[in-house]
Amino acid sequence: MTRTAGLSRLINRLRPHRRQVLLAACCSVINKLLDLAPPVLIGLAVDVVVQSQNSWLAGWGIRSVPGQLGLLAVLSFLIWSGESLFEYLYALLWRHLAQTVQHELRLDGYDHLQRLEMAFFEAGSSGRLLAVLNDDINQLERFLDHGANEILQLITTVLAVGAAMVWLSPGVAGVAFLPIPLILWGSLLFQRRLAPRYGEVRERAGDLASLLANNLEGMLTIKSYATEAWESGRLERHSQAYRQSNSRAIRLSAAFIPLIRFAILFAFLAILVIGGLQAWRGLIAVGTYSFLVFITQRLLWPLTTLGRTLDDYQRAMASTHRVEDLLATPIAIASGQRPLPLSAVRGTLRFEGVGFRYGGRDPLLRDFNLEVPAGSTLGIVGATGSGKSTIVKLLLRLYAVDAGRILLDGLPIDSLRLDDLRRAIGLVSQEVFLFHGSVADNIAYGSFGAPRAAIERAAMLAEAAAFIEALPQGYDTIVGERGQRLSGGQRQRIALARVILKDPPVLILDEATAAVDNETEAAIQRSLEAITRQRTTLMIAHRLSTVRHADRIVVLDHGRIIESGRHDALLEQGGAYAALWRVQTGIAPGEVLQP
């Protein structure tokens, strides 16, 4: 990323706030101009003391020395007050702008993430994404908070002081400006060398955040395998890599200020001597010399902060690059434009010649065809990796098909509005996710504002009411992050209650009874009879007892339907389904199968 590319991206981000940027910039410039006034007042005061009634102020009609000093006192009070006021205003405006841009950027980034396909999340790292949405955006906020003001005030100082010095004494101004080209050249050189180093720092920060996020989620595995020491060592290596990257950048940026100090020192000494000789010879007034000495410090000394400002700038540009790259990630699965009113959905599903492969793998589905009549229940069984869950992901458009099409009520699903499509489908996945919050909040997720009576009825139908009411705070019990305070079976029943409350016309149960005991499974099966009535239902299961009452069962093998029919008919065929039934029921190969 070039410097101009990063800066142009930042400017584009600030365009909607150009009025506030302009106001903040004006306050910064006015504050700096007022901040530069004290050396002028000092020069005028010296001129009054030395020249008395012949001073510069005397030419404005104030002849007495007390009157001139009184005027300077009033001017000092006004200037100091104005400087304080505009410092407050620029700090308020820049910080508000920084917070606003940070807020908008985080929301834009998260909204864009939500619209990316699942393949993006499976290929990437949640820790890296967290680093972008938190650390990188915060880094940009810090630059807007301080760095932009510092750059503006530095430019104002150089222009204002330079103009004043040239007007008062061109010879002394030439000496004062001698180190500035060297400082600017050195700054650009440091900037070019710092840019890739800070890019590396942000990459190492992403690696570290990824490891931490992954380990916190896998703490049970770490403890059960007693690998705490190994993981601590791995964290130490990643942290050390981040530390070393930062150290390389810091060593370079830290060398900048001492070099600038020497350039400033030589310029200051030259002005001190040359200006002093000119004042001694009467070529310039003593007050003017005093002003030049003080203002030279104001001109050159702020350049020592240029290193820190460039440091913040480079960090901000590296972060801007990462954030904008995230926002530039193309959305592979775009929403269709056709609305799908929920009340109009009947639930007829049809897969026509569907082909699909996961990235870099062999095709999983080839010319796959399947039809599910509205209101019927389809059981889908097969070995792991046969494509059962893939069918669900394609139906929800979590992935895009490579060939063929999927239709809902005769409409291609890629032509439908994505949110309408997904509202029409309820999913209970084998990997149940609960949000940190109460049991009631998790049941009502997606059906926000549902009355408590409806929540409790959904829990009752999901056979969850009994254990929920036994919890310390009942429906108001906090489930913990990812629902870790509940058992797997309890989480699954809450997820089932959630989809019951959603009341979608199409229901998908992906191993919905996998984590419950036999007694609870039987209870859930009873409730499913009522839940699935007059509703198109896809039931994916390893336990064949879950699908035995389905209107139709299909057996998948490597993405192909190898058997199809009702439970009894499939047992009579004596094929793959019958073999699975024998294994799960413990019936010997020679024994007669009982439906």
Side-chain angles (χ1 to χ4, degrees), residues 428-430 432 489 492-493 496 508-516 524 528 539-541 546:
V428 180
S429 173
Q430 57 184 325
V432 174
Q492 205 150 35
R493 279 178 280 174
L496 185 58
I508 300 174
L509 304 172
D510 188 358
E511 300 289 351
T513 60
V516 299
I524 291 177
L528 286 178
M539 303 180 70
I540 298 172
T546 305

Side-chain angles (χ1 to χ4, degrees), residues 139-467:
Q139 184 64 53
L140 183 57
E141 181 255 342
R142 283 190 290 270
F143 171 72
L144 289 175
D145 198 352
H146 301 289
N149 171 69
E150 290 176 354
I151 291 174
L152 275 173
Q153 293 204 333
L154 183 62
I155 294 172
T156 302
T157 299
V158 172
L159 293 178
V161 173
M165 292 182 71
V166 169
W167 179 57
L168 291 172
S169 178
V172 173
V175 176
F177 275 85
L178 274 178
I180 291 181
L182 177 63
I183 292 171
L184 293 177
W185 174 79
S187 300
L188 294 174
L189 180 64
F190 270 79
Q191 185 182 358
R192 281 197 297 268
R193 293 189 177 182
L194 274 172
R197 298 195 182 193
Y198 279 126
E200 181 186 350
V201 168
R202 298 315 309 155
E203 287 297 318
R204 298 289 81 77
D207 292 341
L208 186 59
S210 176
L211 177 64
L212 287 170
N214 197 48
N215 281 16
L216 290 175
E217 289 185 6
M219 192 57 67
L220 176 61
T221 303
I222 292 172
K223 288 182 176 296
S224 64
Y225 281 85
T227 55
E228 290 92 342
W230 189 84
E231 289 295 345
S232 293
R234 196 154 69 115
L235 176 63
E236 181 182 4
R237 290 191 295 274
H238 278 74
S239 184
Q240 184 65 19
Y242 172 66
R243 177 186 174 190
Q244 289 174 349
S245 297
N246 246 324
S247 295
R248 285 191 289 270
I250 290 170
R251 278 197 299 270
L252 184 60
S253 64
F256 179 79
I257 292 178
L259 293 176
I260 297 300
R261 283 177 183 269
F262 273 103
I264 293 171
L265 172 63
F266 290 128
F268 180 74
L269 291 177
I271 291 168
L272 192 69
V273 173
I274 295 172
L277 290 174
Q278 288 185 351
W280 177 59
R281 292 169 181 165
L283 299 176
I284 60 174
V286 175
T288 301
Y289 172 61
S290 301
F291 166 76
L292 290 173
V293 171
F294 281 106
I295 205 67
T296 299
Q297 287 183 308
R298 293 297 184 96
L299 171 66
L300 298 178
W301 197 251
L303 294 175
T304 60
T305 65
L306 191 59
R308 185 189 66 191
T309 304
L310 287 176
D311 190 73
D312 291 341
Y313 173 78
Q314 283 300 345
R315 288 178 183 267
M317 291 306 101
S319 295
T320 301
H321 178 61
R322 283 163 56 87
V323 174
E324 294 294 342
D325 277 356
L326 172 62
L327 291 170
T329 304
I331 298 172
I333 300 178
S335 175
Q337 299 302 314
R338 184 167 187 161
L340 182 68
L342 202 60
S343 58
V345 177
R346 294 183 295 108
T348 300
L349 301 174
R350 190 160 70 246
F351 291 73
E352 294 182 349
V354 172
F356 176 75
R357 76 168 73 201
Y358 290 101
R361 305 185 194 176
D362 293 332
L364 180 58
L365 300 179
R366 292 189 183 91
D367 194 25
F368 181 81
N369 296 281
L370 176 66
E371 184 166 356
V372 186
S376 67
T377 297
L378 175 72
I380 304 175
V381 300
T384 300
S386 60
K388 303 186 300 297
S389 295
T390 299
I391 292 173
V392 174
K393 294 174 181 177
L394 294 177
L395 181 58
L396 283 164
R397 293 199 69 205
L398 301 177
Y399 292 86
V401 298
D402 298 327
R405 61 179 186 166
I406 303 173
L407 299 99
L408 172 61
D409 292 341
L411 303 173
I413 61 173
D414 57 359
S415 70
L416 302 174
R417 287 181 49 172
L418 201 53
D419 52 351
D420 286 352
L421 170 68
R422 291 173 179 169
R423 286 193 188 101
I425 301 173
L427 171 66
V428 180
S429 173
Q430 57 184 325
E431 298 178 1
V432 174
F433 186 93
L434 298 184
F435 295 89
H436 183 72
S438 70
V439 171
D441 290 340
N442 274 280
I443 294 176
Y445 186 80
S447 304
F448 307 110
R452 176 59 69 95
I455 294 172
E456 292 177 358
R457 180 178 178 276
M460 181 184 65
L461 288 174
E463 298 290 335
F467 87 78

